[in-house]
Amino acid sequence: YMDEQVSIKGFTEVETISESFNKMLSRMQKLESSRQEFVSNVSHELKTPITSIKVLADSLLSQDAVPEELYKEFLLDITDEIERENKIINDLLSLVKLDKTAGEMNIASININDLLEQILKRLRPIAAKRNIELVFESFRPVIAEVDEVKLSLAISNLVENAIKYNVDDGWVRVSLNADHKYFYVKVQDSGIGIPEESQDSIFERFYRVDKARSRETGGTGLGLAITRNAILMHRGAIKVYSKENEGTTFTVRVPLGYIA
Ligand code: ADP
């Protein structure tokens, strides 16, 4: 009887080990396929501007006497494509750097009110071009232990998006609040909104709701992936609420004290 018990127990344990092994294997397979997808996306994204540049240059070279006007127009297009390539490379580097330095948080006590004011100050001229009002509302002074560079990158991306995907004469409201454990940053806009079916996907690398619009505004589809990574590294959380043609709100929650 005792032997039977032992053998039954042994059997169950073997089952459990093989189950968890299968789970691990399936997780690794998922990771590998997402890595392959990422590499294939990167290649595609990097190739697109290069292809355009090639077409533009070839078409100039194939004509004998190019009017100066046309020449300049094509060169301007080429410059735009180079700028775009640059943006993709820079965003990729930010993303890779975040992954690599996942364990290396540069934590210091930071005045979050000042940090947000600085971000808004830098972006106000860009918003002003389309007469978009940028407002900051603080419910209390907040000092928190954060990696200033990473947090700043995360919030900047949200505010840049709130401007990019807004309407002319619209508004962006950034607010800061805190309780005894967390601080909360809300970035709210009066923009075009995000369709319900896309709301789960926007944090994926290279995902855009409207490729043409994202491209027009210099988007790479990496911004929110960077933001999400940076927030998760602070053991924080990010959520989106949005209604098409009404606007979008991103809420970020970060612990006041860094949890290593
Ligand atoms: P992008 O470089 O294209 O802006 P992001 O990763 O920052 O990439 O955002 C992914 C997509 O999510 C964008 O292409 C856009 O469609 C959508 N999006 C992000 N923020 C907003 C916003 N505030 N309002 C509407 N759509 C947004």
Side-chain angles (χ1 to χ4, degrees):
Y1 180 76
M2 285 276 283
D3 274 0
E4 220 175 289
Q5 276 287 314
V6 168
S7 84
I8 287 169
K9 194 165 169 261
F11 182 70
T12 345
E13 267 167 17
V14 170
E15 271 295 289
T16 322
I17 289 168
S18 102
E19 257 170 44
S20 50
F21 178 75
N22 280 338
K23 261 188 212 145
M24 201 170 78
L25 195 68
S26 121
R27 209 178 301 152
M28 279 166 76
Q29 280 162 345
K30 265 192 209 133
L31 239 116
E32 175 58 16
S33 87
S34 109
R35 194 193 64 84
Q36 277 171 7
E37 192 189 319
F38 178 58
V39 170
S40 127
N41 282 340
V42 168
S43 320
H44 174 78
E45 297 291 332
L46 288 176
K47 262 182 166 170
T48 313
I50 303 276
T51 309
S52 304
I53 292 170
K54 175 93 171 110
V55 169
L56 288 162
D58 278 351
S59 95
L60 278 182
L61 287 170
S62 68
Q63 297 174 54
D64 281 337
V66 185
E68 197 178 326
E69 285 285 282
L70 197 69
Y71 208 77
K72 280 206 175 129
E73 198 188 311
F74 274 43
L75 281 183
L76 272 177
D77 288 345
I78 289 179
T79 317
D80 283 349
E81 294 295 335
I82 292 174
E83 230 166 72
R84 181 169 170 70
E85 185 82 17
N86 233 338
K87 179 109 201 330
I88 299 172
I89 292 172
N90 282 334
D91 278 2
L92 273 173
L93 287 177
S94 297
L95 199 64
V96 170
K97 216 162 113 193
L98 278 183
D99 275 349
K100 254 181 121 174
T101 58
E104 295 166 30
M105 295 289 277
N106 197 359
I107 300 295
S109 269
I110 300 294
N111 183 324
I112 305 295
N113 297 66
D114 287 351
L115 183 139
L116 294 178
E117 301 248 31
Q118 269 171 32
I119 293 173
L120 292 194
K121 193 175 162 198
R122 183 170 58 79
L123 294 175
R124 221 164 247 128
I126 298 168
K129 282 186 192 158
R130 287 170 54 219
N131 198 29
I132 294 168
E133 194 188 1
L134 271 189
V135 218
F136 178 49
E137 189 177 18
S138 168
F139 292 95
R140 61 186 62 198
V142 175
I143 309 273
E145 285 171 23
V146 297
D147 183 318
E148 188 176 11
V149 175
K150 290 187 178 87
L151 184 71
S152 191
L153 187 64
I155 306 291
S156 294
N157 282 340
L158 293 180
V159 182
E160 278 168 23
N161 279 347
I163 298 169
K164 270 196 324 201
Y165 302 102
N166 215 317
V167 291
D168 289 354
D169 310 315
W171 51 263
V172 176
R173 205 178 123 228
V174 178
S175 63
L176 173 65
N177 208 344
D179 54 27
H180 61 292
K181 234 175 150 180
Y182 300 101
F183 68 91
Y184 305 86
V185 180
K186 201 150 84 167
V187 180
Q188 200 174 359
D189 69 54
S190 61
I192 60 172
I194 302 166
E196 178 119 38
E197 65 271 19
S198 295
Q199 289 176 17
D200 282 340
S201 312
I202 50 171
F203 296 101
E204 284 165 23
R205 297 170 296 198
F206 293 118
Y207 183 89
R208 294 101 147 187
V209 175
D210 177 349
K211 280 225 168 199
R213 178 163 185 141
S214 159
R215 198 185 154 85
E216 224 173 86
T217 51
T220 62
L222 292 172
L224 286 179
I226 293 172
T227 294
R228 185 171 172 276
N229 271 8
I231 298 299
L232 291 184
M233 286 166 120
H234 286 88
R235 312 256 181 263
I238 180 164
K239 279 194 190 144
V240 61
Y241 305 89
S242 186
K243 203 148 184 220
E244 258 183 296
N245 302 316
E246 279 185 24
T248 302
T249 302
F250 282 93
T251 60
V252 169
R253 187 195 74 193
V254 179
L256 289 168
Y258 179 66
I259 310 156

